[in-house]
Amino acid sequence: MRQESPVHFDEQRERWDLFRYDDVNRVLTDHDSFTSDRSRMGTASASDTEDGGSILQTMISVDPPDHNRLRGFVNERFQPGTLRDYQPRIEELTGTLLDQIDGTTFDFVDEFAVPLPVIIIAELLGIPAERRDQFKEWSDALIARPDDRSTTTVKQVRERRQQAQQEMGRYFAELLAERQNGTGDDLITLAATTDELTREEQIGFCMLLLLAGNITTTNLLTNALWCFEEHGITDAIRTGKIDRKQAIEEVLRYRSPIQSLDRIAVEDVELSGQRIQAGDVITGWLGAANRDPERFDAPEAFRPERSPNRHIAFGTGVHYCLGAPLARIEADVAFEMLLDRFETIEADLTDLQPIHSLYGLESLICHYEV
Ligand code: HEM
């Protein structure tokens, strides 16, 4: 598609698909011509919006200048420098999780990659530890999709999602009200004490952090172990022969957890020779852009030492992932500690099942020795 039809209108889905790095990059950075406001989608995609779990108005679905207000109050907290102070706590939480793994076999997804980001974001938000299980149930329901292998219907999934959304909204509203005069340094207190946001927007912010930060990081961790094992470099990463951070960047490029992002054209524009009309829906394929030969040498090869590696797995432009520095620290700490803890680790790469939401795996069974 990149070569033959890089800007392609799909009749069935009634939307444009973009496959080239430059086109995807253009659409994400030109927020004047391409909006993130999903309420501006035409009828063709209205059901998508509903099914995509779009909730309250948050930074991710708002354009500048309002976007600056919704993101500005928290930006500082997610800067690498600020997060560095938090790294010892991430290490402690990771260690506790690793302590719970016993036997000689475990599911890397269920027992490590899923819980780790939830525990960390719950801690950053200031969710009491005893509510974490409930919290995870809610976040699962918010991202659930009907699965062809199970009997749950679209309607059931949607109902569960709405219920989880309401319960979680009520829970955050309570915590925000309790903390509106608080002095704690958790993110709920930060949101509760800012004059910039309405209470609704504060609730939306808390829910967005859950939605945006959990399953994405889960799949980065899973895809990382998958890539490392597939290319037989797990030991080289353990010993430092291959740079861990750089290898994680290559995982982000090669198996990007989020494969596509949507925008809507707000005016008629031309893109690589195609006329796109105001109101048209556009899907930019990050996965395809990240393997564009115009941009990357040998793009289909997994090269853990690739440098520079200007992938757009975290998006680009004003909506560039707020949590990217956090996700990077989490992945770095996770692999440093995991490989330090387990003398050998071997993942079973036969019969891998893809997940249905992002790019990742349902499970990744590992044998290990301590
Ligand atoms: C590997 C893990 C992650 C990946 C691949 C990822 C990917 C992305 C992408 C592609 C976007 C751009 C969305 C758009 O342009 O429409 C985004 C935005 C965002 N991400 Fe992440 N993300 C990850 C982890 C996290 C974490 C850990 C958090 C928070 C704790 C987070 C919070 C956000 C937020 C709040 C936005 C919206 C930013 C804005 O609209 O200004 N993400 N992320």
Side-chain angles (χ1 to χ4, degrees), residues 135-147:
F135 200 61
K136 168 148 184 339
E137 233 170 79
W138 284 331
S139 58
D140 284 347
L142 288 186
I143 47 140
R145 280 180 189 276
D147 174 341

mmCIF file with all atom_site columns, all heavy atoms in Angstrom, residues 135-147:
data_model
loop_
_atom_site.group_PDB
_atom_site.id
_atom_site.type_symbol
_atom_site.label_atom_id
_atom_site.label_alt_id
_atom_site.label_comp_id
_atom_site.label_asym_id
_atom_site.label_entity_id
_atom_site.label_seq_id
_atom_site.pdbx_PDB_ins_code
_atom_site.Cartn_x
_atom_site.Cartn_y
_atom_site.Cartn_z
_atom_site.occupancy
_atom_site.B_iso_or_equiv
_atom_site.pdbx_formal_charge
_atom_site.auth_seq_id
_atom_site.auth_comp_id
_atom_site.auth_asym_id
_atom_site.auth_atom_id
_atom_site.pdbx_PDB_model_num
ATOM 1   N N   . PHE A 1 135 ? -9.927  -1.371  40.398 1.00 0.00 ? 135 PHE A N   1
ATOM 2   C CA  . PHE A 1 135 ? -9.409  -0.442  39.435 1.00 0.00 ? 135 PHE A CA  1
ATOM 3   C C   . PHE A 1 135 ? -9.032  -1.141  38.121 1.00 0.00 ? 135 PHE A C   1
ATOM 4   O O   . PHE A 1 135 ? -9.338  -0.705  37.029 1.00 0.00 ? 135 PHE A O   1
ATOM 5   C CB  . PHE A 1 135 ? -8.147  0.116   40.088 1.00 0.00 ? 135 PHE A CB  1
ATOM 6   C CG  . PHE A 1 135 ? -7.682  1.403   39.547 1.00 0.00 ? 135 PHE A CG  1
ATOM 7   C CD1 . PHE A 1 135 ? -8.468  2.532   39.615 1.00 0.00 ? 135 PHE A CD1 1
ATOM 8   C CD2 . PHE A 1 135 ? -6.423  1.494   38.976 1.00 0.00 ? 135 PHE A CD2 1
ATOM 9   C CE1 . PHE A 1 135 ? -8.000  3.722   39.128 1.00 0.00 ? 135 PHE A CE1 1
ATOM 10  C CE2 . PHE A 1 135 ? -5.960  2.689   38.485 1.00 0.00 ? 135 PHE A CE2 1
ATOM 11  C CZ  . PHE A 1 135 ? -6.755  3.804   38.571 1.00 0.00 ? 135 PHE A CZ  1
ATOM 12  N N   . LYS A 1 136 ? -8.411  -2.315  38.280 1.00 0.00 ? 136 LYS A N   1
ATOM 13  C CA  . LYS A 1 136 ? -8.005  -3.073  37.114 1.00 0.00 ? 136 LYS A CA  1
ATOM 14  C C   . LYS A 1 136 ? -9.224  -3.618  36.370 1.00 0.00 ? 136 LYS A C   1
ATOM 15  O O   . LYS A 1 136 ? -9.280  -3.599  35.142 1.00 0.00 ? 136 LYS A O   1
ATOM 16  C CB  . LYS A 1 136 ? -7.070  -4.207  37.531 1.00 0.00 ? 136 LYS A CB  1
ATOM 17  C CG  . LYS A 1 136 ? -6.850  -5.182  36.434 1.00 0.00 ? 136 LYS A CG  1
ATOM 18  C CD  . LYS A 1 136 ? -5.525  -5.821  36.419 1.00 0.00 ? 136 LYS A CD  1
ATOM 19  C CE  . LYS A 1 136 ? -5.372  -6.722  35.212 1.00 0.00 ? 136 LYS A CE  1
ATOM 20  N NZ  . LYS A 1 136 ? -6.594  -7.188  34.570 1.00 0.00 ? 136 LYS A NZ  1
ATOM 21  N N   . GLU A 1 137 ? -10.219 -4.042  37.133 1.00 0.00 ? 137 GLU A N   1
ATOM 22  C CA  . GLU A 1 137 ? -11.456 -4.529  36.518 1.00 0.00 ? 137 GLU A CA  1
ATOM 23  C C   . GLU A 1 137 ? -12.100 -3.432  35.665 1.00 0.00 ? 137 GLU A C   1
ATOM 24  O O   . GLU A 1 137 ? -12.530 -3.665  34.546 1.00 0.00 ? 137 GLU A O   1
ATOM 25  C CB  . GLU A 1 137 ? -12.428 -4.882  37.637 1.00 0.00 ? 137 GLU A CB  1
ATOM 26  C CG  . GLU A 1 137 ? -13.006 -6.273  37.576 1.00 0.00 ? 137 GLU A CG  1
ATOM 27  C CD  . GLU A 1 137 ? -13.739 -6.560  38.860 1.00 0.00 ? 137 GLU A CD  1
ATOM 28  O OE1 . GLU A 1 137 ? -14.874 -6.089  39.006 1.00 0.00 ? 137 GLU A OE1 1
ATOM 29  O OE2 . GLU A 1 137 ? -13.149 -7.230  39.735 1.00 0.00 ? 137 GLU A OE2 1
ATOM 30  N N   . TRP A 1 138 ? -12.137 -2.220  36.240 1.00 0.00 ? 138 TRP A N   1
ATOM 31  C CA  . TRP A 1 138 ? -12.705 -1.103  35.482 1.00 0.00 ? 138 TRP A CA  1
ATOM 32  C C   . TRP A 1 138 ? -11.902 -0.826  34.221 1.00 0.00 ? 138 TRP A C   1
ATOM 33  O O   . TRP A 1 138 ? -12.457 -0.657  33.152 1.00 0.00 ? 138 TRP A O   1
ATOM 34  C CB  . TRP A 1 138 ? -12.717 0.168   36.333 1.00 0.00 ? 138 TRP A CB  1
ATOM 35  C CG  . TRP A 1 138 ? -13.790 0.213   37.372 1.00 0.00 ? 138 TRP A CG  1
ATOM 36  C CD1 . TRP A 1 138 ? -15.006 -0.380  37.329 1.00 0.00 ? 138 TRP A CD1 1
ATOM 37  C CD2 . TRP A 1 138 ? -13.719 0.910   38.623 1.00 0.00 ? 138 TRP A CD2 1
ATOM 38  N NE1 . TRP A 1 138 ? -15.704 -0.094  38.482 1.00 0.00 ? 138 TRP A NE1 1
ATOM 39  C CE2 . TRP A 1 138 ? -14.938 0.700   39.287 1.00 0.00 ? 138 TRP A CE2 1
ATOM 40  C CE3 . TRP A 1 138 ? -12.751 1.702   39.242 1.00 0.00 ? 138 TRP A CE3 1
ATOM 41  C CZ2 . TRP A 1 138 ? -15.225 1.246   40.532 1.00 0.00 ? 138 TRP A CZ2 1
ATOM 42  C CZ3 . TRP A 1 138 ? -13.033 2.248   40.484 1.00 0.00 ? 138 TRP A CZ3 1
ATOM 43  C CH2 . TRP A 1 138 ? -14.252 2.020   41.119 1.00 0.00 ? 138 TRP A CH2 1
ATOM 44  N N   . SER A 1 139 ? -10.586 -0.790  34.371 1.00 0.00 ? 139 SER A N   1
ATOM 45  C CA  . SER A 1 139 ? -9.809  -0.432  33.178 1.00 0.00 ? 139 SER A CA  1
ATOM 46  C C   . SER A 1 139 ? -9.913  -1.520  32.106 1.00 0.00 ? 139 SER A C   1
ATOM 47  O O   . SER A 1 139 ? -9.944  -1.219  30.919 1.00 0.00 ? 139 SER A O   1
ATOM 48  C CB  . SER A 1 139 ? -8.362  -0.051  33.497 1.00 0.00 ? 139 SER A CB  1
ATOM 49  O OG  . SER A 1 139 ? -7.700  -1.066  34.151 1.00 0.00 ? 139 SER A OG  1
ATOM 50  N N   . ASP A 1 140 ? -10.041 -2.780  32.516 1.00 0.00 ? 140 ASP A N   1
ATOM 51  C CA  . ASP A 1 140 ? -10.256 -3.851  31.527 1.00 0.00 ? 140 ASP A CA  1
ATOM 52  C C   . ASP A 1 140 ? -11.578 -3.644  30.794 1.00 0.00 ? 140 ASP A C   1
ATOM 53  O O   . ASP A 1 140 ? -11.659 -3.777  29.573 1.00 0.00 ? 140 ASP A O   1
ATOM 54  C CB  . ASP A 1 140 ? -10.309 -5.227  32.209 1.00 0.00 ? 140 ASP A CB  1
ATOM 55  C CG  . ASP A 1 140 ? -8.926  -5.701  32.608 1.00 0.00 ? 140 ASP A CG  1
ATOM 56  O OD1 . ASP A 1 140 ? -7.952  -5.083  32.144 1.00 0.00 ? 140 ASP A OD1 1
ATOM 57  O OD2 . ASP A 1 140 ? -8.833  -6.667  33.369 1.00 0.00 ? 140 ASP A OD2 1
ATOM 58  N N   . ALA A 1 141 ? -12.622 -3.316  31.570 1.00 0.00 ? 141 ALA A N   1
ATOM 59  C CA  . ALA A 1 141 ? -13.947 -3.144  30.959 1.00 0.00 ? 141 ALA A CA  1
ATOM 60  C C   . ALA A 1 141 ? -13.945 -1.963  29.983 1.00 0.00 ? 141 ALA A C   1
ATOM 61  O O   . ALA A 1 141 ? -14.590 -1.998  28.938 1.00 0.00 ? 141 ALA A O   1
ATOM 62  C CB  . ALA A 1 141 ? -15.003 -2.938  32.033 1.00 0.00 ? 141 ALA A CB  1
ATOM 63  N N   . LEU A 1 142 ? -13.180 -0.929  30.313 1.00 0.00 ? 142 LEU A N   1
ATOM 64  C CA  . LEU A 1 142 ? -13.157 0.257   29.449 1.00 0.00 ? 142 LEU A CA  1
ATOM 65  C C   . LEU A 1 142 ? -12.525 -0.010  28.094 1.00 0.00 ? 142 LEU A C   1
ATOM 66  O O   . LEU A 1 142 ? -12.871 0.632   27.108 1.00 0.00 ? 142 LEU A O   1
ATOM 67  C CB  . LEU A 1 142 ? -12.412 1.416   30.130 1.00 0.00 ? 142 LEU A CB  1
ATOM 68  C CG  . LEU A 1 142 ? -13.119 2.108   31.289 1.00 0.00 ? 142 LEU A CG  1
ATOM 69  C CD1 . LEU A 1 142 ? -12.309 3.304   31.751 1.00 0.00 ? 142 LEU A CD1 1
ATOM 70  C CD2 . LEU A 1 142 ? -14.510 2.594   30.883 1.00 0.00 ? 142 LEU A CD2 1
ATOM 71  N N   . ILE A 1 143 ? -11.609 -0.961  28.050 1.00 0.00 ? 143 ILE A N   1
ATOM 72  C CA  . ILE A 1 143 ? -10.949 -1.210  26.765 1.00 0.00 ? 143 ILE A CA  1
ATOM 73  C C   . ILE A 1 143 ? -11.430 -2.500  26.107 1.00 0.00 ? 143 ILE A C   1
ATOM 74  O O   . ILE A 1 143 ? -10.974 -2.846  25.027 1.00 0.00 ? 143 ILE A O   1
ATOM 75  C CB  . ILE A 1 143 ? -9.409  -1.258  26.905 1.00 0.00 ? 143 ILE A CB  1
ATOM 76  C CG1 . ILE A 1 143 ? -9.044  -2.154  28.085 1.00 0.00 ? 143 ILE A CG1 1
ATOM 77  C CG2 . ILE A 1 143 ? -8.812  0.112   27.091 1.00 0.00 ? 143 ILE A CG2 1
ATOM 78  C CD1 . ILE A 1 143 ? -7.874  -2.989  27.809 1.00 0.00 ? 143 ILE A CD1 1
ATOM 79  N N   . ALA A 1 144 ? -12.374 -3.206  26.770 1.00 0.00 ? 144 ALA A N   1
ATOM 80  C CA  . ALA A 1 144 ? -12.813 -4.505  26.232 1.00 0.00 ? 144 ALA A CA  1
ATOM 81  C C   . ALA A 1 144 ? -13.471 -4.336  24.867 1.00 0.00 ? 144 ALA A C   1
ATOM 82  O O   . ALA A 1 144 ? -14.102 -3.330  24.582 1.00 0.00 ? 144 ALA A O   1
ATOM 83  C CB  . ALA A 1 144 ? -13.793 -5.146  27.198 1.00 0.00 ? 144 ALA A CB  1
ATOM 84  N N   . ARG A 1 145 ? -13.277 -5.346  24.040 1.00 0.00 ? 145 ARG A N   1
ATOM 85  C CA  . ARG A 1 145 ? -13.949 -5.406  22.744 1.00 0.00 ? 145 ARG A CA  1
ATOM 86  C C   . ARG A 1 145 ? -14.543 -6.792  22.614 1.00 0.00 ? 145 ARG A C   1
ATOM 87  O O   . ARG A 1 145 ? -14.014 -7.739  23.170 1.00 0.00 ? 145 ARG A O   1
ATOM 88  C CB  . ARG A 1 145 ? -12.950 -5.209  21.611 1.00 0.00 ? 145 ARG A CB  1
ATOM 89  C CG  . ARG A 1 145 ? -12.612 -3.768  21.414 1.00 0.00 ? 145 ARG A CG  1
ATOM 90  C CD  . ARG A 1 145 ? -11.622 -3.554  20.308 1.00 0.00 ? 145 ARG A CD  1
ATOM 91  N NE  . ARG A 1 145 ? -11.200 -2.166  20.350 1.00 0.00 ? 145 ARG A NE  1
ATOM 92  C CZ  . ARG A 1 145 ? -11.873 -1.189  19.778 1.00 0.00 ? 145 ARG A CZ  1
ATOM 93  N NH1 . ARG A 1 145 ? -12.972 -1.417  19.110 1.00 0.00 ? 145 ARG A NH1 1
ATOM 94  N NH2 . ARG A 1 145 ? -11.444 0.053   19.861 1.00 0.00 ? 145 ARG A NH2 1
ATOM 95  N N   . PRO A 1 146 ? -15.633 -6.913  21.844 1.00 0.00 ? 146 PRO A N   1
ATOM 96  C CA  . PRO A 1 146 ? -16.189 -8.244  21.665 1.00 0.00 ? 146 PRO A CA  1
ATOM 97  C C   . PRO A 1 146 ? -15.148 -9.133  20.998 1.00 0.00 ? 146 PRO A C   1
ATOM 98  O O   . PRO A 1 146 ? -14.431 -8.695  20.115 1.00 0.00 ? 146 PRO A O   1
ATOM 99  C CB  . PRO A 1 146 ? -17.379 -8.034  20.732 1.00 0.00 ? 146 PRO A CB  1
ATOM 100 C CG  . PRO A 1 146 ? -17.551 -6.575  20.605 1.00 0.00 ? 146 PRO A CG  1
ATOM 101 C CD  . PRO A 1 146 ? -16.324 -5.888  21.084 1.00 0.00 ? 146 PRO A CD  1
ATOM 102 N N   . ASP A 1 147 ? -15.086 -10.363 21.444 1.00 0.00 ? 147 ASP A N   1
ATOM 103 C CA  . ASP A 1 147 ? -14.059 -11.278 20.997 1.00 0.00 ? 147 ASP A CA  1
ATOM 104 C C   . ASP A 1 147 ? -14.750 -12.400 20.242 1.00 0.00 ? 147 ASP A C   1
ATOM 105 O O   . ASP A 1 147 ? -15.688 -12.999 20.745 1.00 0.00 ? 147 ASP A O   1
ATOM 106 C CB  . ASP A 1 147 ? -13.391 -11.785 22.293 1.00 0.00 ? 147 ASP A CB  1
ATOM 107 C CG  . ASP A 1 147 ? -12.377 -12.862 22.035 1.00 0.00 ? 147 ASP A CG  1
ATOM 108 O OD1 . ASP A 1 147 ? -12.428 -13.473 20.960 1.00 0.00 ? 147 ASP A OD1 1
ATOM 109 O OD2 . ASP A 1 147 ? -11.548 -13.084 22.928 1.00 0.00 ? 147 ASP A OD2 1
#
